[in-house]
Amino acid sequence: MALPSGDSSRPDNTLAVIHTLREHGPVARIDLGALNGISAATVTSISAELLQQGLITQQPPKTGRPNGRGRPKTLIQLNPQAACVVCIKLSINEIQLVVGDFAGRVRHSEHHAVSTLALSADDFAMMLEAKISAVCTQQLDGFQRLAAICLAVQGVVSSQSGTIVWSPALSFRNAPISTRLADHFHCSVLLENDANCIANVLAARSAYADCANLVVIMLGYGIGMSVLINGVPFLGANGSAAEFGHSKYQPDGALCACGRRGCIEAYASDYALYRAAAGQLELTATDSAHPSEQQMQALTQLALTGDPVAQRIYAEAGRALGVGIANVMALFNPDLVLITGSGVRGFEAMQTAMHAAIDDALVAELKGTTRIESCAWDRDMTCMGGIAMTLQATDTETLLESQTARKA
Amino acid sequence: MALPSGDSSRPDNTLAVIHTLREHGPVARIDLGALNGISAATVTSISAELLQQGLITQQPPKTGRPNGRGRPKTLIQLNPQAACVVCIKLSINEIQLVVGDFAGRVRHSEHHAVSTLALSADDFAMMLEAKISAVCTQQLDGFQRLAAICLAVQGVVSSQSGTIVWSPALSFRNAPISTRLADHFHCSVLLENDANCIANVLAARSAYADCANLVVIMLGYGIGMSVLINGVPFLGANGSAAEFGHSKYQPDGALCACGRRGCIEAYASDYALYRAAAGQLELTATDSAHPSEQQMQALTQLALTGDPVAQRIYAEAGRALGVGIANVMALFNPDLVLITGSGVRGFEAMQTAMHAAIDDALVAELKGTTRIESCAWDRDMTCMGGIAMTLQATDTETLLESQTARKA
């Protein structure tokens, strides 16, 4: 097989071009060169090859624009059909399956209610195989290849060994899932923590571009966190770093879903808020351990419209969150703490107490210049991040496969 | 001025040779090559240049060894007189001055009782200038140059701006000290957190060589921490990261020296232990806010010999330390937490409660494989680390100065 032509940095340049096209959408060749610091000749040669491999397409220049000046430029863009990723998001009693195309856009999304906590490790793997197979059969027509599967999981994962170490969605632990799915579907499998996926999406936004140390906190049924240091998720020795929800607010405090006491999650998560409210407020009869989105919205409304009991509950959650964030500020000294997740619906009812707790906890020199902001939640965000991370991780593979296919 | 001879990686190779000689002591040329992955010819040429610059010396081969085989090797070593560093350690009411030679060894050490908390920013700078000048006059004879001054400070420093942001040893804040000392002594000044200096010494030990994520906790009058990620201190956005002593054990808990409540330090530091004991035990009349080493040893002895009140106080300190370490484990997932500092004298009386608190706080999956160990304290350790970091930071400068001096 012939070696790729061009200079020794050519594969890196090709990857850079693909990443730029994914980030910016359609771009003229001349701008591609400028954005990546490579010559016009190199861009021309790379784009010719990518065109031939079917990884990019050309947009004919628009003509007849009344105010257009100069010769209109031909834009090139990723061929969205060149490859796709199936991303599965695992939460408690819910599975989301999303198909993303080669340009990183969501093409299909479906949610399934699944009693995840009732599954054995084997049932869980078979359930995933069946759901992924179904989505592939229905949705993958027209795509040149399935680049990879991404599994975005609430909890502690070891991406390296492909093992779900501990997830609140599962009643078993240390599940080696990546190899099983990779063998079944004959493709790469990326296992990621859900908060890292979200952080990947947020870090790409221009508003947060100057944050070398970015902490993203996800409020919701549980509480997740991702710490990005220079854009890279900080994983620690075994991948369980940035576990914020089970850091402590109050030793010997409220019971947490993990079985221990006093975790931040035991005060500020959906189940903790609903549990505290269930004893004191008239709420729809429910399984208070797993409140629905509608129930959480109703509870939040009570706090926001001045119900004193609901206000007290959200204030206590805000205090717990504030003490936890103060510890994160003391230990990580981040540029920005960004709060999101479905639970951000209740942030307005928590934030006064949260800021008061941070001010009580830390002297000004330790608060430093860290900003604390909230950010609107989008339920597709986790999978969008998972798809972006997976495409980036498998671009080299896609490139090689396309070269081989073209030469065969 | 002529450019250095040799290939483009030559300056890096020269620095690598200097670092290896500092780490290993006298080494034969052939081993220097092997340790750094460079050719024998390059080692020969580098060592010839370093010899000429007076930065290394040769040890004549030992002869007459009864069991020696083959031709004895000439060893080369750093010339300890080639440069020196003055390191000042700032603690509450104490200044330590240490002179380190070019090989990184301590050549002189002196301690001064100074009422640091009574000093104004200007008095503090003048006091340092006077003490450093005196040590230079008395100790620097025979050294070719003063490479740099290192200031190792308990508290939050910004190494980049050369500012002591906040130290428990000083009653003022945001003191820009590095520029002032650099102007006065016409040399580089490195400002470092004391725990980072200690961590530098410990990380170099072979016992901890496999710890990519290393947390070092310093117990003593205050409580310091350093987090090394792949050998590099994690500083955060403004240099105040890894602030463990003021992370929280108990919201609204015991009063801390920082003015806030519930910090780990307010339970497990020397002053906190002594304060708790002063109300309940017969102790030597003292300024309980600043107990002496002798007083702390006496209190520790009470706990270790079974005094129930002292035992309770150390157990509570151990619990606070354990909850704090549990948070550090959840957030950083380190390979090893190493506990040292003068306060490690009381670790035996704390450790049972500390381990129990960690077990109470974290599920097994979050405790992971992190080891927790203590490590004997040596009062020169901070300055040894400061000297090592300073020499490494200024080796390029020393090299250039020596080249210039030789060519002049």
Side-chain angles (χ1 to χ4, degrees):
Chain A
M1 194 179 107
L3 285 168
S5 54
D7 58 57
S8 65
S9 63
R10 183 66 174 289
D12 280 354
N13 286 338
T14 306
L15 288 175
V17 163
I18 293 174
H19 298 166
T20 303
L21 290 171
R22 192 170 290 136
E23 197 183 338
H24 292 264
V27 173
R29 282 183 178 76
I30 187 163
D31 299 326
L32 260 182
L35 284 163
N36 290 292
I38 49 181
S39 71
T42 305
V43 172
T44 303
S45 133
I46 287 173
S47 59
E49 211 161 326
L50 290 176
L51 261 174
Q52 214 178 347
Q53 290 162 11
L55 296 181
I56 62 172
T57 59
Q58 299 199 73
Q59 261 183 22
K62 289 194 182 115
T63 51
R65 284 181 300 155
N67 300 317
R69 269 185 272 178
R71 194 159 63 102
K73 293 173 190 165
T74 301
L75 300 182
I76 59 177
Q77 61 189 357
L78 291 183
N79 171 10
Q81 309 297 120
C84 69
V85 168
V86 174
C87 180
I88 303 101
K89 178 183 160 197
L90 169 67
S91 324
I92 296 175
N93 295 340
E94 193 184 83
I95 300 282
Q96 179 181 12
L97 285 105
V98 169
V99 177
D101 66 24
F102 189 55
R105 280 184 303 245
V106 169
R107 294 289 284 265
H108 170 82
S109 171
E110 59 187 55
H111 291 81
H112 299 271
V114 175
S115 299
T116 56
L117 283 162
L119 297 173
S120 70
D122 207 51
D123 289 344
F124 171 66
M126 284 194 297
M127 182 274 293
L128 285 184
E129 285 168 4
K131 292 263 185 282
I132 296 169
S133 291
V135 110
C136 287
T137 308
Q138 293 154 25
Q139 305 294 337
L140 262 49
D141 204 27
F143 286 104
Q144 287 167 32
R145 63 187 293 264
L146 174 64
I149 291 168
C150 175
L151 195 53
V153 175
Q154 206 180 333
V156 177
V157 303
S158 166
S159 301
Q160 220 178 349
S161 70
T163 303
I164 304 176
V165 177
W166 177 50
S167 168
L170 301 172
S171 50
F172 50 90
R173 299 185 175 187
N174 298 309
I177 189 71
S178 295
T179 309
R180 175 147 177 183
L181 294 179
D183 288 350
H184 193 94
F185 293 100
H186 309 290
C187 70
S188 304
V189 173
L190 189 81
L191 179 63
E192 257 305 339
N193 167 270
D194 59 350
N196 287 342
C197 296
I198 306 261
N200 180 281
V201 172
L202 295 176
R205 293 189 181 166
S206 58
Y208 313 129
D210 59 338
C211 299
N213 288 279
L214 173 65
V215 166
V216 175
I217 293 177
M218 270 175 68
L219 302 179
Y221 178 82
I223 294 188
M225 183 165 97
S226 174
V227 176
L228 295 190
I229 301 176
N230 298 320
V232 180
F234 176 64
L235 301 175
N238 310 109
S240 76
E243 182 47 67
F244 175 69
H246 302 289
S247 72
K248 299 291 138 178
Y249 165 52
Q250 190 87 58
D252 302 319
L255 186 63
C256 181
C258 75
R260 300 299 200 257
R261 289 192 168 273
C263 304
I264 309 286
E265 184 176 300
Y267 296 84
S269 68
D270 285 358
Y271 77 78
L273 290 161
Y274 208 79
R275 176 179 64 185
Q280 305 182 57
L281 290 173
E282 290 270 348
L283 297 167
T284 328
T286 179
D287 170 11
S288 76
H290 301 106
S292 68
E293 179 59 30
Q294 289 67 32
Q295 288 170 321
M296 289 311 300
Q297 284 180 6
L299 181 57
T300 303
Q301 272 310 304
L302 282 177
L304 293 176
T305 52
D307 179 280
V309 173
Q311 281 182 327
R312 245 195 330 271
I313 290 167
Y314 276 86
E316 178 67 2
R319 260 190 299 279
L321 194 58
V323 170
I325 291 175
N327 284 343
V328 166
M329 289 165 77
L331 294 169
F332 285 103
N333 180 214
D335 293 288
L336 173 67
V337 176
L338 207 47
I339 299 168
T340 188
S342 59
V344 81
R345 66 175 109 69
F347 185 66
E348 199 186 322
M350 295 182 197
Q351 63 175 332
T352 306
M354 179 198 80
H355 283 295
I358 294 170
D359 289 342
D360 275 356
L362 297 181
V363 294
E365 286 73 16
L366 291 182
K367 280 178 64 186
T369 54
T370 303
R371 286 146 51 205
I372 302 176
E373 297 177 12
S374 67
C375 160
W377 172 243
D378 170 347
R379 73 193 303 210
D380 281 347
M381 224 194 300
T382 312
C383 289
M384 283 168 61
I387 289 164
M389 292 170 92
T390 307
L391 285 170
Q392 180 133 358
T394 53
D395 273 336
T396 306
E397 233 172 79
T398 302
L399 209 55
L400 286 173
E401 292 252 342
S402 311
Q403 282 169 353
T404 313
R406 179 177 59 114
K407 277 165 193 157
Chain B
M1 194 177 107
L3 286 168
S5 54
D7 59 59
S8 68
S9 63
R10 183 68 176 287
D12 280 355
N13 285 340
T14 306
L15 287 174
V17 163
I18 293 175
H19 298 167
T20 304
L21 290 172
R22 193 170 290 135
E23 197 183 337
H24 292 264
V27 173
R29 282 183 178 78
I30 188 163
D31 299 325
L32 261 182
L35 284 163
N36 290 292
I38 50 181
S39 70
T42 305
V43 172
T44 302
S45 132
I46 288 173
S47 58
E49 212 161 324
L50 291 176
L51 262 175
Q52 215 179 346
Q53 290 163 11
L55 296 181
I56 62 170
T57 59
Q58 297 199 74
Q59 260 184 22
K62 288 194 184 119
T63 51
R65 284 182 300 153
N67 299 318
R69 271 186 272 180
R71 194 160 62 104
K73 293 173 190 166
T74 301
L75 301 181
I76 60 178
Q77 62 189 355
L78 291 183
N79 172 12
Q81 309 296 120
C84 70
V85 167
V86 174
C87 180
I88 303 101
K89 178 182 160 200
L90 170 68
S91 323
I92 296 175
N93 295 341
E94 192 184 84
I95 301 282
Q96 180 180 13
L97 285 106
V98 169
V99 177
D101 66 25
F102 189 55
R105 281 184 302 246
V106 170
R107 296 287 285 264
H108 169 80
S109 171
E110 58 187 55
H111 292 80
H112 299 272
V114 175
S115 299
T116 58
L117 283 163
L119 297 172
S120 70
D122 206 51
D123 289 345
F124 171 65
M126 283 194 297
M127 180 275 292
L128 286 183
E129 284 167 5
K131 292 263 186 282
I132 297 168
S133 290
V135 110
C136 286
T137 307
Q138 291 155 25
Q139 304 294 337
L140 260 52
D141 204 27
F143 286 105
Q144 286 167 33
R145 61 186 294 264
L146 174 64
I149 292 168
C150 175
L151 195 54
V153 175
Q154 204 182 336
V156 177
V157 302
S158 166
S159 300
Q160 219 177 352
S161 70
T163 303
I164 304 176
V165 177
W166 178 48
S167 169
L170 301 173
S171 49
F172 51 88
R173 298 185 176 186
N174 298 307
I177 190 71
S178 294
T179 310
R180 177 148 175 183
L181 293 180
D183 288 350
H184 192 93
F185 293 99
H186 308 290
C187 70
S188 305
V189 174
L190 190 81
L191 180 62
E192 257 304 341
N193 168 270
D194 58 350
N196 287 342
C197 295
I198 305 264
N200 179 280
V201 172
L202 294 175
R205 293 189 182 165
S206 58
Y208 313 128
D210 61 336
C211 298
N213 288 280
L214 173 65
V215 167
V216 176
I217 293 177
M218 268 174 69
L219 302 179
Y221 178 83
I223 295 188
M225 183 165 98
S226 175
V227 177
L228 295 191
I229 301 175
N230 298 319
V232 180
F234 176 63
L235 301 176
N238 311 109
S240 75
E243 183 46 67
F244 175 69
H246 302 290
S247 71
K248 299 289 138 180
Y249 165 52
Q250 189 89 56
D252 302 320
L255 185 64
C256 181
C258 75
R260 301 298 200 255
R261 289 193 169 276
C263 304
I264 310 288
E265 182 175 301
Y267 296 83
S269 67
D270 285 357
Y271 76 80
L273 290 161
Y274 208 80
R275 176 179 64 187
Q280 305 181 58
L281 290 173
E282 290 270 346
L283 298 166
T284 327
T286 180
D287 170 11
S288 75
H290 301 105
S292 68
E293 178 58 31
Q294 288 68 30
Q295 289 171 321
M296 289 311 301
Q297 284 180 7
L299 180 57
T300 304
Q301 271 311 304
L302 281 176
L304 292 176
T305 53
D307 179 280
V309 174
Q311 281 182 328
R312 247 197 325 274
I313 290 167
Y314 276 86
E316 178 67 2
R319 260 191 299 280
L321 194 59
V323 170
I325 291 175
N327 284 344
V328 166
M329 289 165 78
L331 294 169
F332 286 103
N333 180 214
D335 293 287
L336 172 66
V337 175
L338 207 47
I339 299 168
T340 187
S342 59
V344 82
R345 65 175 110 68
F347 185 66
E348 199 186 322
M350 297 184 196
Q351 64 175 328
T352 306
M354 179 198 80
H355 283 294
I358 295 171
D359 290 343
D360 275 355
L362 297 180
V363 294
E365 286 73 14
L366 292 182
K367 280 178 63 186
T369 53
T370 302
R371 286 147 52 206
I372 302 176
E373 296 177 10
S374 66
C375 160
W377 171 243
D378 170 347
R379 73 191 304 208
D380 281 347
M381 224 194 299
T382 312
C383 289
M384 282 169 63
I387 289 164
M389 293 169 91
T390 307
L391 285 170
Q392 181 134 357
T394 54
D395 272 337
T396 306
E397 231 170 80
T398 302
L399 210 53
L400 286 172
E401 293 251 342
S402 310
Q403 282 169 354
T404 313
R406 180 177 59 114
K407 278 164 191 156

